[in-house]
Amino acid sequence: MAVNIDELVSRTFESIGSVEGKLEMVTIHSQRYFRVYEPVHGRGVVCYFSPELLETVKESLGKRVMVSGALRSDRFGRQDSITVSDFRVVQHAEG
């Protein structure tokens, strides 16, 4: 069977996983999410969170965090986004 190339290129994969990095941006405009920037490549991962976590997320801005939950990655295995089920501060980020 022939597979549409656009379908292969745009495919994402879901798994349970975690992301660790510096929390540098928070928005509540149309959706609640923050971005965690991983230290090696500096890539930002979008982290969708529940309203109950808003105060904790705000207090963690600029800190190193680890979030776990339903993780979506692209076809190359790069983490794109995560729906947060667990959130914790790992340490205060410097700089």
Side-chain angles (χ1 to χ4, degrees):
M1 253 186 174
V3 177
N4 185 329
I5 193 73
D6 289 333
E7 182 182 330
L8 287 175
V9 171
S10 64
R11 190 170 285 176
T12 60
F13 301 93
E14 294 190 20
S15 63
I16 300 300
S18 60
V19 175
E20 183 176 338
K22 188 176 179 184
L23 195 163
E24 293 188 11
M25 190 268 318
V26 179
T27 186
I28 56 170
H29 179 64
S30 61
Q31 293 183 314
R32 284 174 312 281
Y33 68 90
F34 56 88
R35 280 192 196 270
V36 170
Y37 289 85
E38 52 96 1
V40 176
H41 298 102
R43 240 180 100 101
V45 178
V46 175
C47 305
Y48 298 101
F49 66 95
S50 64
E52 297 80 24
L53 281 177
L54 181 59
E55 289 304 315
T56 302
V57 168
K58 288 178 4 184
E59 292 168 2
S60 303
L61 193 58
K63 298 177 182 173
R64 186 170 189 80
V65 299
M66 177 179 282
V67 295
S68 302
L71 181 63
R72 281 165 297 290
S73 303
D74 67 14
R75 66 187 176 111
F76 299 110
R78 293 180 297 219
Q79 300 168 330
D80 287 327
S81 65
I82 188 168
T83 301
V84 178
S85 61
D86 186 51
F87 179 100
R88 64 184 170 111
V89 174
V90 177
Q91 66 181 16
H92 292 287
E94 296 179 16

